[in-house]
Amino acid sequence: MADRIDRADRTLMTAQDDTTAAERDSQGRHDAIREHEVERTFDQVVQNGRPRLYRTPTELVASGTIAGVEIALGVLAFLAVEQATGSKLLAGIAFSVGFIALLLGNSELFTEGFLVPVAVVAAKEATWSRLGRFWVLTLVGNLVGGWVTMWAVVNAFPALRSTAVKDGATYATSSLHLSTFLLAVIAGVVMTLLTRMRNGTDDDVAKVVASVAVAFLVAGLSMYHSVLDSLFIFGGIHAGGSYGYGNWIVFFAWSVGGNIVGGLGITTALRLLRSGERLQEWRAAPGPHHDG
């Protein structure tokens, strides 16, 4: 009788061990010690980002163009405050108008399209070609919307022309040195961090605070942001600055390279590594929108 009970206990313990083993992840961690908050955030990133990659080309260009308009309004606020106070730090806080408009308007800024869309593709919920289309059309929309709006700003507020020319020259005539490239790298890191912070909370107030903080860092400290600073250059050109589109092309290539290194090569890569286990689970069971 005792032998039968002992065998039964061993059988039950073996079954429990098998069940526990089945619930462990690839690193041997069972459910109780997995970081569910990190995994829930990653799930939210993929779920929220997936529809963005399945927009039509027209929708992508429209969303990017609206974002260019909104960022240009932030530049307007920056120029007005800088001219009134002489402080770029205060102007950087004023620029947060643009980031808040992006947040509440659900429009697309190119440098905010690193973490979320890449996570969707890494999870096999969309293809790399969709990601490339998303980036190109969003960027085109950002630049077109920003160019047109900065033309309107300079002509509607002629008193800001001298400030627009001066700020545009900061970027259009800058040297291609390690320091300026690192300013672009840091800007890419900070912008992608903003995306992560926005996806890490459902509190709109917290999202607004994050937007103000990042605006202060990127605009107030004159980091090299490919889209934002292109709008400063466009404003200076419209206002009669001595630099031109050739200067802008050089600046844009330099800054977008740094933004990609910081946003993709550092922040996004580390975030994907941080959520590596959950990413592998997504890859093993692609969702209904997976298209090869």
Side-chain angles (χ1 to χ4, degrees):
M1 181 66 174
D3 289 342
R4 287 199 298 271
I5 293 174
D6 186 51
R7 285 197 299 272
D9 288 342
R10 287 198 299 272
T11 300
L12 178 60
M13 291 175 62
T14 300
Q16 290 173 336
D17 290 342
D18 290 343
T19 300
T20 300
E23 293 174 349
R24 292 179 184 272
D25 65 16
S26 63
Q27 305 301 317
R29 297 171 296 200
H30 57 71
D31 186 69
I33 60 173
R34 291 183 66 168
E35 296 183 90
H36 296 292
E37 186 60 35
V38 172
E39 295 182 352
R40 279 194 296 269
T41 299
F42 183 80
D43 290 344
Q44 184 174 339
V45 165
V46 175
Q47 291 161 0
N48 290 345
R50 186 168 49 200
R52 293 163 62 182
L53 291 177
Y54 286 86
R55 289 173 179 162
T56 66
T58 300
E59 291 169 341
L60 287 172
V61 172
S63 179
T65 302
I66 294 169
V69 172
E70 292 166 344
I71 288 297
L73 295 178
V75 174
L76 169 60
F78 183 101
L79 294 174
V81 171
E82 182 187 11
Q83 180 160 297
T85 67
S87 172
K88 286 186 178 292
L89 295 180
L90 289 176
I93 296 174
F95 173 77
S96 63
V97 168
F99 283 166
I100 294 171
L102 285 174
L103 168 66
L104 300 181
N106 292 313
S107 46
E108 295 286 356
L109 182 63
F110 170 68
T111 52
E112 286 191 302
F114 292 158
L115 174 62
V116 175
V118 169
V120 174
V121 174
K124 291 189 174 181
E125 292 294 300
T127 60
W128 289 105
S129 62
R130 284 191 177 275
L131 177 62
R133 186 189 69 166
F134 173 86
W135 279 340
V136 170
L137 296 182
T138 295
L139 180 57
V140 168
N142 289 168
L143 296 176
V144 170
W147 187 92
V148 171
T149 308
M150 289 308 301
W151 174 85
V153 164
V154 167
N155 286 280
F157 298 92
L160 297 177
R161 285 175 174 265
S162 60
T163 304
V165 169
K166 180 188 67 174
D167 285 347
T170 299
Y171 305 105
T173 62
S174 62
S175 301
L176 306 185
H177 291 157
L178 176 61
S179 60
T180 56
F181 188 75
L182 291 177
L183 285 172
V185 171
I186 296 170
V189 168
V190 172
M191 287 301 301
T192 307
L193 176 61
L194 173 61
T195 302
R196 173 61 180 80
M197 289 190 291
R198 286 176 172 177
N199 280 275
T201 179
D202 294 323
D203 187 337
D204 288 338
V205 174
K207 292 179 181 181
V208 169
V209 170
S211 298
V212 173
V214 169
F216 173 79
L217 291 173
V218 174
L221 298 181
S222 299
M223 293 182 185
Y224 277 34
H225 184 285
S226 53
V227 175
L228 165 59
D229 298 333
S230 289
L231 270 54
F232 278 113
I233 295 175
F234 293 159
I237 292 173
H238 292 319
S242 60
Y243 42 89
Y245 292 104
N247 300 99
W248 167 68
I249 290 172
V250 173
F251 165 82
F252 181 78
W254 189 247
S255 60
V256 79
N259 292 166
I260 289 172
V261 169
L264 285 178
I266 298 177
T267 310
T268 296
L270 291 176
R271 286 295 175 183
L272 292 180
L273 287 173
R274 181 72 175 82
S275 303
E277 185 64 35
R278 191 62 178 150
L279 173 61
Q280 292 305 317
E281 291 172 356
W282 273 93
R283 291 173 65 85
H289 296 286
H290 176 59
D291 59 357

